Amino acid sequence: MNLFEKQSCEFITRHIGPDEHQAKQMLKTIGEPDLDTLVSKTVPPAIRMQHELNLPSAMSEHQYLQHIKEVSMQNKVYKNYIGQGYYDTIIPSVILRNVFENPGWYTQYTPYQAEISQGRLESLLNFQTMVSDLTALPIANASLLDEATAAAEAMTMFFNTLNKQDHITHPKFFVDNEIFPQTKDVLYTRAKPIGIEIVTGDYKKANIDSTYFGAIVQYPNDKGSVEDYRGFINQVHSAGAFVVMATDLLALTLLTPPGELGADCAIGSAQRLGVPLGYGGPHAAFFAAKDDFKRSMPGRIIGVSVDANNNRALRMALQTREQHIKREKATSNICTAQALLANMAAMYAVFHGPDGLKNIAKRVAVLTQTVATAIEEFGFELFSNSYFDTITVKVDDIAPIKEKALRQQINLRYFDNKHIGISIDETTLTEDLYDLINCFENDKNPIAFDIHHDEEPEHIPSKLSRTSSFLTHLVFNTHRSESQMMRYIKSLENKDLSLNTSMITLGSCTMKLNAASEMMPLSWVHWSKMHPFAPADQTKGYKQIVDDLSKYLCEITALDACSLQPNSGAQGEYAGLLTIRDYHEANGDQHRNVILIPISAHGTNPASAVMAGMKVVVVKALENGYIDVNDLKAKAEQHSNELAGIMITYPSTYGVYEETVNEITDIIHNHGGQVYMDGANMNAQVGLTAPGLIGADVCHLNLHKTFAIPHGGGGPGMGPICVKKHLAEYLPSHSSIVNRESSVNTSHDSCLTSHGAVSAAPYGSASILLISYGYIRMLGNVGVKQATEYAILNANYMRARLQGQFEILYTNHNGQCAHEFIVDLRPFKKSAEIEAEDVAKRLMDYGFHAPTMSFPVPGTIMIEPTESEDKAELDRFCDALLGIRQEIRDIEEGKMDKKNNALKNAPHTQLAVVNSEWNKPYTREQAAFPMYYVTQNKFWPSVARVNNTYGDRNLICTCEPIESYMEAEAWSDDR
Ligand SMILES: Cc1ncc(COP(=O)(O)O)c(C=O)c1O
């Protein structure tokens, strides 16, 4: 390699942890001569890819940043007044720099290990409090994926509440005409497979009877009108059904909240609270409901509990509701949501406070009424005279206005030939109104408008004016200066262990490097300020990314077409299963609705299958972790006529490449079924094998695992699906794209098919596609394959170091694991009364996040190091586990007490260790600095072990009222 070729490949060495020298040492420990031999003894030869990936060669970071800047310039940043659920916003720089662009926040994992996640848990509690207060509904979750899917979640929650156990007595759901079109699309998609009948109409004329289980209205509605739904809500309630209101948090600072109007649930997007447009996402959707729904609500809920010392501590509440536990009985498949973006929105509310938010809302409303008045003076009529930020203008012909708007680089919303929508947002300045109003000017009168700076919004009906207070809690009334805000954000960040502290070995989650060069472009305006429904000729930069990334993912999976719409892995599963369902239906096989799912599958698999209207049949596993092929054969034969397909994960969730996989896919195909592959473990496939080579017809990819999108503390994510040719026409579509393109394109752009949408935006959380695109471009065809090889090397090195001291479950006949492996901790229960949880908590004292706990096997941990960790970090982690093994041995040998030991008492907080009282049978040093490296870089858990059951029994999922802080102050004064 010459000097310049070396430069182009430099990112490979930035992304992959071990260098050549370290790799040699590691191979020696494993007992293999070289990487090729290790890989060929690990991946079954029958499924090995025989060709090199046809991807571009690697680019240096410098080259890439120049390239992506050039692509970005193909996007045109116009002033957007389109609205429709997406509004430009001013991201406070303190939040942009300290949260959005900060690996301390964006590389966090989902807060399952509560003791080292108190910062983001606190922030998510702020988010829930904000949502609950603004909607006036008592329970809110910590985000959903987008507004449209949140509406669908509310619909299914109501449906399942009134229709128990496969017995549909109330099949109908009323959808008001004036709902955002993208929400309607997703509602239709989600309704069909489970037998919901959607009835659309004008809520004022609706006749809701006992055949209905629910209804949805929008507030303010699609045309911007602020309607009083009280009468309608009463009517729906009298029929025994429920109402969800799709709404806008900024508007609710001025409007009577849904809870006070009687709604059972409120949903919407928190995007306009300081989260960039990003061509559709990622943004946090919110979901709040009456108390009655707390056990059936989708998504994660953060709750207040106590720790072992009775101090306040937060953790995820009511986890038994989730698909991990409930599997096919779950009513939602939500796993990854939008935690990072929920945190940004919460910080926005913390920074502005209730008065600041209200002032923003008032400015928006006053500017809107100024525009409305000026346009009315030109002789135009408005659709409604009650509005907040959006007006709809009736015109004879949109053409001249549209032409003038485009000339001034302004995007308006064109409903049809005679209606134009204008949505004002926080970024709109008084000066902007000249150009905006000018679009409607008759060219005779000069533009003149009056704006009084102390004007009040006058077009919110007085009976819908908000009178109740909100966000009175201390946290929303403290951090006004930038110094305070910066320190508040930092104080929370300090409580959380993320990838900028140490490796996070979360099996199945692939917590690899999220490189700075992959992340940086997300903040650039040519990517961040793009509206998802902007005209196609303004979004050519995004089109290039969508087309190229789709092509690369098809190449990597050896499949033929791709949809980038699903915005999480679970959404990908759902979308993939719908393509299978639609394919069978198109072939006259609508009766094919049985899906086989191995026992080891992730909980989202069966939950998604049920949402897609399928019946789950579980397939057994053998002792060695392989799918029990005999059981599979028997079940495939038994259900041959109704077989829709199988969902498999490869390598399996047990971390092995099953040699029998081709036999499995053949059996399914021979019985007329389709093979769905959960691509969560794609990090063990790229460049070595591929779903298409193994016999998969559909596969979803978790871009937030293999393709470097950060986990953000529980989202964002992206779960695109790739399919074989015969399924391409059944991929999800999106009305905004179909309407804007003249013809259907059969290439990689799946949004042009005629099937339903699964997400609010055509390309899901489009802006984060840039991260995966950057990952592939900077690693290039050679680097992506090397990443897989090193993931296998790292896992096998750790396995080799731990073997003998711990029992490793499920290796192949050569004794190798794939990219992850399972360590069995169950024997220690008997030998030392030590549980997996004790080991997980003790790891915190050693400065590490625990691996995946008890999935897929209870009582175990699953370790996935990824390729990004170097030998020194792998060694520290192995040393920590071996140190813990010695501590267990001390208990086994009676040298340490079974109940009072460093594992049972873990994690140890700073306060516990410096406390003048210390009556433990081990030293303070042993408690907090069990190894030398810890003394060099100590991470302190901020609370002791959290009590989960206390919090579930006493559910509190909003910030405590201000009075509780007064009590705390009195406590500290007394001291
Ligand atoms: C094997 C597997 N399948 C599916 C999922 C679901 O993906 P997501 O969380 O993006 O919905 C996960 C998530 O951890 C997983 O590990």
Side-chain angles (χ1 to χ4, degrees):
M1 230 190 258
N2 70 35
L3 270 180
F4 293 91
E5 284 164 346
K6 266 193 186 145
Q7 185 192 16
S8 295
C9 290
E10 74 186 8
F11 182 74
I12 301 178
T13 55
R14 305 269 192 266
H15 177 79
I16 294 177
D19 60 19
E20 262 179 56
H21 175 66
Q22 290 173 9
K24 273 198 188 123
Q25 289 177 308
M26 290 158 69
L27 284 160
K28 205 165 154 200
T29 307
I30 298 170
E32 295 298 347
D34 51 48
L35 196 51
D36 279 349
T37 312
L38 171 69
V39 170
S40 49
K41 281 184 156 178
T42 307
V43 187
I47 59 163
R48 279 295 294 268
M49 188 179 272
Q50 299 303 331
H51 61 277
E52 292 302 317
L53 284 173
N54 182 15
L55 296 173
S57 48
M59 271 181 174
S60 72
E61 289 167 79
H62 177 64
Q63 288 166 331
Y64 174 70
L65 288 171
Q66 272 189 342
H67 160 75
I68 201 71
K69 178 63 94 186
E70 275 163 29
V71 180
S72 80
M73 297 321 272
Q74 295 178 47
N75 290 330
K76 294 184 195 157
V77 185
Y78 280 23
K79 180 79 190 135
N80 284 310
Y81 298 99
I82 300 173
Q84 204 182 325
Y86 300 91
Y87 311 87
D88 204 357
T89 176
I90 301 169
I91 310 160
S93 302
V94 64
I95 298 173
L96 181 70
R97 180 155 284 208
N98 294 291
V99 181
F100 189 66
E101 296 177 342
N102 180 355
W105 282 89
Y106 65 68
T107 69
Q108 298 165 354
Y109 180 62
T110 310
Y112 283 108
Q113 295 300 332
E115 297 81 0
I116 50 174
S117 310
Q118 290 293 304
R120 58 190 181 277
L121 286 166
E122 185 79 48
S123 180
L124 291 171
L125 192 76
N126 292 344
F127 178 79
Q128 292 177 180
T129 306
M130 169 182 80
V131 170
S132 170
D133 257 27
L134 286 171
T135 57
L137 286 162
I139 310 279
N141 72 12
S143 79
L144 288 178
L145 294 165
D146 57 40
E147 175 163 339
T149 53
E153 293 288 344
M155 172 177 78
T156 45
M157 182 179 83
F158 292 164
F159 177 70
N160 289 316
T161 305
L162 289 191
N163 296 289
K164 295 251 154 60
Q165 293 160 348
D166 288 352
H167 189 55
I168 304 178
T169 44
H170 311 272
K172 292 186 189 158
F173 187 66
F174 179 81
V175 179
D176 183 51
N177 287 335
E178 300 302 337
I179 297 285
F180 289 147
Q182 69 271 21
T183 304
K184 263 188 218 160
D185 271 10
V186 172
L187 288 172
Y188 272 111
T189 308
R190 291 279 286 268
K192 189 178 157 203
I194 51 175
I196 292 175
E197 193 185 319
I198 290 212
V199 180
T200 53
D202 178 352
Y203 80 94
K204 289 190 194 115
K205 298 182 193 147
N207 183 13
I208 307 294
D209 60 27
S210 63
T211 58
Y212 285 81
F213 64 88
I216 182 166
V217 286
Q218 186 123 22
Y219 179 67
N221 74 16
D222 186 39
K223 300 253 168 54
S225 183
V226 176
E227 303 279 315
D228 187 348
Y229 296 115
R230 276 179 268 231
F232 177 67
I233 293 171
N234 285 339
Q235 191 201 344
V236 176
H237 284 170
S238 326
F242 306 111
V243 177
V244 49
M245 286 173 75
T247 187
D248 175 330
L249 293 177
L250 193 66
L252 293 185
T253 63
L254 304 180
L255 299 180
T256 307
E260 291 175 23
L261 298 176
D264 303 279
C265 180
I267 60 97
S269 166
Q271 177 269 319
R272 74 186 309 170
L273 305 187
V275 179
L277 286 166
Y279 200 44
H283 310 139
F286 61 86
F287 189 108
K290 286 184 175 162
D291 200 58
D292 307 350
F293 294 104
K294 70 179 173 222
R295 290 189 191 276
S296 50
M297 263 174 82
R300 292 161 177 151
I301 301 177
I302 309 307
V304 182
S305 187
V306 292
D307 73 0
N309 302 325
N310 253 336
N311 290 322
R312 175 182 182 270
L314 307 173
R315 89 283 172 253
M316 293 201 281
L318 302 178
Q319 285 189 46
T320 45
R321 298 163 13 268
E322 292 186 36
Q323 37 71 32
H324 293 288
I325 311 282
K326 283 206 160 172
R327 302 180 74 84
E328 63 270 22
K329 298 213 169 51
T331 50
S332 162
N333 66 347
I334 290 287
C335 181
T336 286
Q338 302 280 14
L340 182 72
L341 303 312
N343 284 330
M344 285 181 73
M347 290 296 183
Y348 179 95
V350 166
F351 195 39
H352 287 293
D355 293 340
L357 291 181
K358 210 168 185 164
N359 289 340
I360 295 168
K362 278 186 180 172
R363 278 198 295 274
V364 165
V366 167
L367 290 177
T368 309
Q369 74 199 22
T370 306
V371 176
T373 310
I375 290 177
E376 278 180 308
E377 277 171 17
F378 292 147
F380 292 99
E381 200 190 324
L382 301 186
F383 179 82
S384 164
N385 212 25
S386 302
Y387 52 79
F388 160 60
D389 68 337
T390 298
I391 52 170
T392 299
V393 188
K394 297 181 183 172
V395 300
D396 290 337
D397 179 11
I398 60 166
I401 299 167
K402 187 171 178 181
E403 189 270 323
K404 225 167 164 182
L406 288 174
R407 221 183 321 128
Q408 299 183 97
Q409 306 204 329
I410 285 177
N411 288 329
L412 303 173
R413 181 167 172 206
Y414 304 102
F415 287 92
D416 50 37
N417 240 348
K418 295 199 179 303
H419 292 92
I420 298 180
I422 303 172
S423 290
I424 301 293
D425 61 54
E426 183 194 6
T427 67
T428 311
L429 302 173
T430 316
E431 301 86 279
D432 294 327
L433 300 196
Y434 286 96
D435 291 344
L436 177 58
I437 293 168
N438 176 262
C439 302
F440 292 83
E441 199 216 352
N442 58 16
D443 280 335
K444 286 189 198 119
N445 307 325
I447 312 154
F449 60 88
D450 284 333
I451 174 157
H452 303 296
H453 288 104
D454 52 0
E455 216 170 321
E456 287 288 315
E458 287 164 4
H459 290 268
I460 291 173
S462 55
K463 60 182 180 183
L464 289 173
S465 249
R466 182 165 192 138
T467 51
S468 50
S469 56
F470 55 89
L471 305 186
T472 53
H473 318 76
L474 196 63
V475 69
F476 297 107
N477 293 281
T478 305
H479 308 290
R480 291 291 164 273
S481 75
E482 181 164 331
S483 296
Q484 280 175 313
M485 190 63 198
M486 175 178 69
R487 288 178 195 142
Y488 177 63
I489 295 173
K490 182 70 187 166
S491 72
L492 297 193
E493 183 195 335
N494 284 345
K495 293 180 181 177
D496 287 14
L497 190 147
S498 43
L499 280 177
N500 66 357
T501 301
S502 53
M503 72 187 292
I504 300 181
T505 59
L506 251 293
S508 200
C509 293
T510 318
M511 299 287 292
K512 61 169 65 175
L513 170 77
N514 314 119
S517 297
E518 290 156 1
M519 300 297 296
M520 272 165 49
L522 268 67
S523 301
W524 300 349
V525 290
H526 282 81
W527 298 116
S528 68
K529 278 200 176 277
M530 300 305 294
H531 192 288
F533 306 137
D537 68 339
Q538 293 170 26
T539 59
K540 289 185 180 151
Y542 266 114
K543 171 110 175 79
Q544 183 172 330
I545 299 299
V546 163
D547 288 350
D548 286 353
L549 183 61
S550 301
K551 207 163 57 193
Y552 302 155
L553 296 179
C554 286
E555 171 67 14
I556 287 170
T557 52
L559 293 167
D560 303 307
C562 174
S563 168
L564 294 172
Q565 200 176 115
N567 45 12
S568 75
Q571 291 296 98
E573 292 167 19
Y574 175 66
L577 291 173
L578 285 187
T579 61
I580 292 179
R581 190 188 151 92
D582 288 356
Y583 166 78
H584 285 315
E585 202 173 289
N587 290 340
D589 284 337
Q590 47 276 17
H591 54 279
R592 288 194 172 270
N593 69 347
V594 168
I595 189 97
L596 304 183
I597 301 185
I599 183 105
S600 59
H602 194 264
T604 50
N605 289 191
S608 301
V610 171
M611 282 167 59
M614 294 183 179
K615 256 171 47 197
V616 175
V617 172
V618 177
V619 181
K620 292 185 197 152
L622 297 173
E623 281 274 292
N624 64 0
Y626 283 31
I627 290 176
D628 181 340
V629 177
N630 287 334
D631 188 50
L632 173 90
K633 254 189 211 148
K635 283 174 176 155
E637 265 161 31
Q638 186 190 343
H639 298 284
S640 188
N641 285 336
E642 318 93 74
L643 193 66
I646 190 169
M647 292 182 91
I648 51 171
T649 306
Y650 201 78
S652 78
T653 57
Y654 292 136
V656 277
Y657 297 91
E658 286 151 311
E659 281 98 352
T660 46
V661 66
N662 287 119
E663 194 186 343
I664 291 169
T665 55
D666 285 349
I667 294 170
I668 299 302
H669 286 142
N670 291 340
H671 286 280
Q674 295 284 294
V675 175
Y676 182 93
M677 185 171 287
D678 179 329
N681 288 345
M682 202 62 204
N683 213 44
Q685 288 198 41
V686 180
L688 300 182
T689 181
L693 302 180
I694 302 168
D697 301 288
V698 194
C699 171
H700 87 258
L701 302 169
N702 292 56
L703 297 188
H704 46 300
K705 298 184 180 195
T706 308
F707 297 93
I709 292 176
H711 278 68
M718 274 295 281
I721 51 174
C722 294
V723 297
K724 280 206 171 135
K725 241 189 228 105
H726 64 280
L727 294 176
E729 63 183 290
Y730 308 104
L731 284 169
S733 176
H734 199 281
S735 55
S736 75
I737 302 289
V738 173
N739 293 341
R740 122 186 143 175
E741 308 289 328
S742 50
S743 64
V744 169
N745 168 356
T746 49
S747 71
H748 297 282
D749 196 342
S750 68
C751 288
L752 300 177
T753 69
S754 59
H755 288 261
V758 293
S759 299
Y763 303 106
S765 298
S767 63
I768 54 175
L769 294 175
L770 289 169
I771 303 168
S772 301
Y773 176 82
Y775 173 85
I776 294 171
R777 291 308 304 264
M778 284 189 281
L779 284 178
N781 56 344
V782 173
V784 291
K785 179 176 171 191
Q786 253 182 45
T788 317
E789 292 168 338
Y790 274 76
I792 293 170
L793 172 69
N794 281 3
N796 277 291
Y797 173 67
M798 292 182 79
R799 174 195 56 71
R801 275 212 61 196
L802 297 173
Q803 211 146 26
Q805 299 292 323
F806 291 95
E807 197 174 322
I808 311 294
L809 295 180
Y810 313 127
T811 48
N812 71 3
H813 63 272
N814 291 318
Q816 318 287 19
C817 63
H819 65 314
E820 61 190 8
F821 60 98
I822 296 175
V823 176
D824 195 357
L825 302 176
R826 290 170 297 190
F828 305 132
K829 174 111 199 248
K830 206 161 161 212
S831 66
E833 294 182 19
I834 290 298
E835 316 251 2
E837 194 186 29
D838 301 320
V839 174
K841 303 304 171 191
R842 184 63 178 145
L843 268 170
M844 296 173 187
D845 292 329
Y846 283 79
F848 285 108
H849 193 291
T852 296
M853 299 269 307
S854 294
F855 170 75
V857 185
T860 64
I861 49 177
M862 179 157 60
I863 299 176
E864 181 183 5
T866 83
E867 69 279 10
S868 300
E869 302 300 338
D870 65 8
K871 181 173 176 295
E873 184 70 354
L874 302 178
D875 281 335
R876 274 189 288 275
F877 190 86
C878 291
D879 291 345
L881 271 181
L882 294 170
I884 291 173
R885 178 66 189 94
Q886 184 54 46
E887 290 174 349
I888 296 173
R889 193 167 295 116
D890 287 347
I891 303 170
E892 288 169 339
E893 291 172 1
K895 295 182 193 153
M896 183 56 71
D897 187 77
K898 278 193 168 162
K899 301 268 181 278
N900 186 10
N901 57 58
L903 281 111
K904 288 283 175 209
N905 296 332
H908 296 84
T909 63
Q910 203 163 13
L911 206 61
V913 173
V914 299
N915 202 308
S916 39
E917 228 175 79
W918 182 263
N919 49 16
K920 312 247 185 302
Y922 49 93
T923 65
R924 291 178 156 101
E925 284 85 353
Q926 184 60 25
F929 299 98
M931 293 235 160
Y932 173 73
Y933 73 80
V934 189
T935 64
Q936 303 300 297
N937 183 22
K938 175 66 186 169
F939 178 85
W940 289 102
S942 57
V943 295
R945 197 173 303 188
V946 176
N947 183 333
N948 287 318
T949 41
Y950 176 90
D952 279 358
R953 267 189 270 114
N954 308 278
L955 187 69
I956 299 174
C957 56
T958 53
C959 298
E960 293 84 338
I962 196 148
E963 298 78 38
S964 65
Y965 292 92
M966 290 169 184
E967 282 161 25
E969 268 173 32
W971 174 80
S972 60
D973 287 348
D974 287 348
R975 279 160 62 95

